[in-house]
């Protein structure tokens, strides 16, 4: 706190990212949903090729090649694509550009990606929370039936974070149809691990905005690339925000690597499949150890053990250099969010859990 701070900074609660410890040997990082395998070798090759004298030049501020590659991948027009420095930045521009509607509230689940709440404080957007059902699913009727004043917009992740649970496309269609005059933002950070993408609904609904990241399924978290796809006029609005903030959010190296990654479909599919298979395996092993595991369509599972305190389990694993994510939040404070690693990673985790559980008995 300093007397030099702007007023709104005083009340701001920044998002707390999972830790990235340095210099710990033998560390098993299952806390930030990074991909266990590396990015496409073609992306790495593109990075080497892009590291040349042209770095003295500013990058393409319109990311023309990258937006064309994304458009082609999803059967869209480039005018429907917006790119940013990680999807967190894309989301920030969405909050700033679409949700600041003279004090109207943003409607979202009580349990979802916690960054949304942070952006609401940063951009002074009031929040209206719709509690998840007891089974942690999103209750569609909370978003299709009117509750008085029209919200500024709707946002949720699908699959949801940190539950990993996916919503069927029909439900998203119903939400978009019931709210034709406000943006419905679907954050699909984890969609490539088995859920259905709402991009298929853009043809029918001009109020849907779908946000993707290359950090999770394309294993490029270190490069910071995210994108949104929507109606061209929504994209135009996001470009206004971007060009009033930073015209060059993606450096030329990141743009080159992103194009190469998106074009390498075979590698992408193989790596998604590997994570999905490991998830199935890990889920079965955790259930075998007595955990309750929510049905996940993401590259993580959300699990609780009826007999062991989640924070205590996380601490015991931490002492063995295994990091998981634990949220001290009502309703979910007995759950652990566990990133799906390689089969070897999952085995090490389960072996450690067996020992911890035996010791505490
Ligand atoms: C990881 C994640 C993001 C952010 O991704 P970046 O592109 O790395 O900024 C956004 N939304 C959700 C739900 C995420 O889990």
């Amino acid at each position: 706190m300093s007397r030099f701070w702007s007023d709104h900074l005083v009340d701001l609660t920044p998002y707390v990212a999972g830790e990235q410890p340095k210099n710990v040997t033998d560390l098993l990082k299952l806390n930030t949903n990074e991909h266990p395998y590396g990015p496409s070798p073609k992306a790495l090759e593109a990075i080497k090729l892009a590291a040349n004298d042209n770095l003295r030049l500013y990058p393409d501020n319109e990311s023309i090649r990258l937006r064309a590659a994304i458009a082609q991948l999803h059967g869209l027009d480039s005018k429907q694509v917006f790119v940013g420095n990680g999807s967190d930045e894309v989301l920030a521009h969405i909050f700033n550009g679409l949700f600041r509607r003279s004090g109207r509230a943003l409607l979202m689940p009580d349990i979802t990606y916690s960054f949304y709440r942070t952006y609401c404080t940063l951009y002074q957007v009031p929040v209206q929370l719709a509690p998840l059902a007891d089974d942690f699913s999103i209750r569609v009727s909370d978003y299709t039936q009117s509750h008085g004043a029209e919200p500024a917009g709707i946002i949720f992740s699908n699959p949801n974070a940190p539950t990993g649970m996916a919503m069927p496309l029909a439900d998203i269609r119903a939400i978009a149809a019931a709210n034709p005059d406000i943006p419905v933002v679907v954050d699909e950070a984890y969609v490539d691990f088995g859920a259905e993408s709402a991009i298929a609904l853009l043809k029918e609904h001009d109020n849907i905005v779908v946000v993707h990241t290359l950090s999770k399924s394309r294993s490029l978290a270190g490069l910071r690339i995210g994108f949104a796809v929507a109606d061209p006029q929504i994209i135009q609005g996001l470009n206004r925000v971007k060009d009033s903030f930073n015209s060059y959010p993606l450096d030329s190296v990141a743009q080159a690597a992103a194009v190469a990654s998106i074009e390498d479909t075979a590698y992408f599919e193989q790596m998604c499949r590997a994570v999905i298979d490991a998830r199935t395996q890990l889920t079965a092993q955790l259930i075998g150890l007595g955990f309750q595991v929510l049905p996940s369509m993401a590259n993580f599972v959300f699990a609780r053990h009826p007999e062991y305190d989640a924070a205590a389990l996380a601490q015991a694993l931490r002492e063995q250099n295994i990091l998981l994510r634990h949220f001290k939040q009502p309703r979910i404070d007995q759950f652990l969010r566990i990133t799906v690693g390689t089969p070897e990673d999952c085995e090490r985790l389960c072996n450690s859990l067996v020992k911890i559980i035996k010791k505490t008995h």
Side-chain angles (χ1 to χ4, degrees), residues 226-352:
F227 63 88
V229 296
D231 180 81
Q233 285 173 16
I234 290 182
I235 300 300
Q236 244 177 44
L238 297 181
N239 277 317
R240 277 195 185 206
V241 180
K242 169 205 155 230
D243 289 327
S244 310
F245 179 81
N246 176 8
S247 306
Y248 303 101
L250 284 185
D251 62 71
S252 41
V253 178
Q255 292 188 42
V259 170
S261 165
I262 284 170
E263 288 175 352
D264 195 353
T265 317
Y267 182 85
F268 168 72
E269 284 170 1
Q270 192 189 338
M271 290 303 127
C272 287
R273 174 51 48 196
V275 170
I276 293 168
D277 290 347
R279 179 182 72 207
T280 309
Q281 190 79 17
L282 175 63
T283 303
Q285 285 172 313
L286 290 172
I287 290 173
L289 290 171
F291 280 87
Q292 176 203 353
V293 186
L294 299 189
S296 171
M297 284 290 175
N299 68 339
F300 59 85
V301 295
F302 205 47
R304 82 171 148 206
H305 200 293
E307 292 158 55
Y308 300 93
D309 178 62
L313 278 180
Q315 181 53 34
L317 286 166
R318 181 167 232 300
E319 282 156 19
Q320 304 193 26
N321 288 334
I322 300 177
L323 296 186
L324 310 175
R325 197 85 203 263
H326 172 249
F327 298 94
K328 289 193 199 75
Q329 194 189 330
R331 290 188 80 185
I332 56 168
D333 62 349
Q334 282 309 311
F335 278 86
L336 295 169
R337 194 194 67 187
I338 309 167
T339 305
V340 176
T342 63
E344 295 72 35
D345 294 342
C346 298
E347 194 165 304
R348 177 171 156 199
L349 168 72
C350 291
N351 288 341
S352 292

Side-chain angles (χ1 to χ4, degrees), residues 86-88 91 113 116 157 161 187 189-190 213 215-216 224-226:
S87 62
D88 285 339
L91 287 164
Y113 188 38
Y116 308 150
S157 346
D187 181 351
Y190 302 104
T213 176
S215 298
K216 311 281 166 54
R224 313 305 303 130
I225 307 143

Side-chain angles (χ1 to χ4, degrees), residues 3-188:
R3 70 187 199 289
F4 302 110
W5 285 10
S6 297
D7 295 341
H8 76 288
L9 212 54
V10 178
D11 301 318
L12 200 58
T13 317
Y15 173 75
V16 184
E19 52 182 323
Q20 299 282 5
K22 309 279 174 313
N23 309 319
V24 182
T25 48
D26 206 27
L27 181 71
L28 179 51
K29 248 189 117 283
L30 303 175
N31 66 333
T32 51
N33 299 339
E34 287 142 331
H35 201 291
Y37 302 104
S40 155
K42 291 181 181 159
L44 299 178
E45 194 53 36
I47 289 171
K48 286 187 199 134
L49 286 171
N52 62 40
D53 279 349
N54 281 339
L55 281 174
R56 70 191 176 81
L57 302 172
Y58 280 102
D60 173 10
N61 63 323
E62 295 181 89
S63 301
I64 288 173
R65 280 188 62 211
L66 175 55
R67 285 174 42 242
I70 294 166
Q72 176 162 14
L73 178 72
H74 294 293
L76 303 169
D77 189 280
S78 286
K79 289 196 199 71
Q80 293 172 281
V81 183
F82 176 82
V83 295
N85 194 260
S87 62
D88 285 339
E89 186 189 77
V90 174
L91 287 164
H93 291 342
I94 287 172
F95 275 68
N96 199 357
L98 306 181
F99 292 155
R100 303 177 74 176
R101 302 295 300 272
S102 27
R104 279 156 60 190
L106 176 65
L107 179 58
M108 65 169 115
D110 61 340
I111 294 162
T112 189
Y113 188 38
S114 61
F115 222 135
Y116 308 150
R117 295 293 289 276
T118 299
Y119 285 140
C120 281
T121 358
L122 178 61
Y123 292 116
Q124 294 160 322
V125 177
V127 180
Q128 185 186 339
L129 297 178
L132 296 182
D134 288 341
D135 68 354
F136 295 100
S137 61
I138 288 177
R139 273 194 304 232
V140 181
S141 60
D142 289 343
Y143 302 85
T144 54
Q145 289 162 12
S146 159
H147 300 278
E150 184 163 50
I154 291 171
I155 190 166
F156 51 86
S157 346
N158 189 48
N160 198 12
T163 65
M165 287 167 61
M167 228 178 165
L169 218 49
D171 288 353
I172 298 175
R173 180 185 284 119
I175 293 173
N179 297 278
D181 296 322
I182 59 171
V184 175
V185 178
V186 190
D187 181 351
E188 296 188 346

